Amino acid sequence: MKSSRSFVTVWVTVPRRPLAVKLSRLAVESGLAACAQISGPVESIYRWQGMVESGKEWRVVVKTRSQLLPQLEALVIANHPYETPQFLVLPIVAGSKKYLDWLGECTTTPPKPTTRRRSKTN
């Protein structure tokens, strides 16, 4: 187990799965994230403009370095249809050394142009 203060997860919700895939790919391909996980649909119940609303959304959990948060937030805002998109940052307190080393490598070196499926690294 390795302590970590420089890595975070970011939670974003979007109204459609294709947008979740797009944001995930943009974040990883740009080097702003090591990986992004998509789950859903999830049911959201929330207050908006004085009314209680509900709807189905897709959750994207992005793993990145805290130093990259401004660029990642800008990417999400530029590609998100909501007036106020969810962008929540949660610290990664600790994790396996091998996994955190991988996360660090993926977010400090320029990304490779090829897309390859890796298993068991998310």
Side-chain angles (χ1 to χ4, degrees):
M1 186 71 64
K2 178 179 177 179
S3 179
S4 170
R5 294 185 191 261
S6 61
F7 301 118
V8 296
T9 60
V10 176
W11 286 39
V12 177
T13 54
V14 296
R16 296 174 309 281
R17 187 178 190 288
L19 181 55
V21 172
K22 176 184 176 181
L23 285 176
S24 298
R25 283 200 170 277
L26 286 171
V28 173
E29 289 174 353
S30 68
L32 294 176
C35 70
Q37 296 170 311
I38 300 167
S39 60
V42 296
E43 182 75 18
S44 294
I45 300 172
Y46 55 94
R47 184 174 296 280
W48 182 247
Q49 298 180 340
M51 302 290 293
V52 175
E53 305 279 345
S54 67
K56 295 206 182 316
E57 296 182 299
W58 293 84
R59 180 184 304 125
V60 180
V61 178
V62 181
K63 293 150 192 160
T64 189
R65 289 180 174 271
S66 56
Q67 302 96 303
L68 298 175
L69 287 171
Q71 297 100 309
L72 182 60
E73 183 179 23
L75 181 142
V76 169
I77 290 170
N79 291 280
H80 207 291
Y82 293 170
E83 183 179 327
T84 308
Q86 174 182 292
F87 190 89
L88 297 177
V89 180
L90 304 167
I92 295 175
V93 177
S96 72
K97 179 182 180 335
K98 191 171 183 178
Y99 186 85
L100 293 178
D101 288 347
W102 169 80
L103 202 161
E105 290 168 15
C106 291
T107 55
T108 56
T109 58
K112 296 180 180 168
T114 59
T115 301
R116 185 176 91 190
R117 178 173 251 168
R118 288 180 59 123
S119 62
K120 307 270 184 198
T121 58
N122 298 347

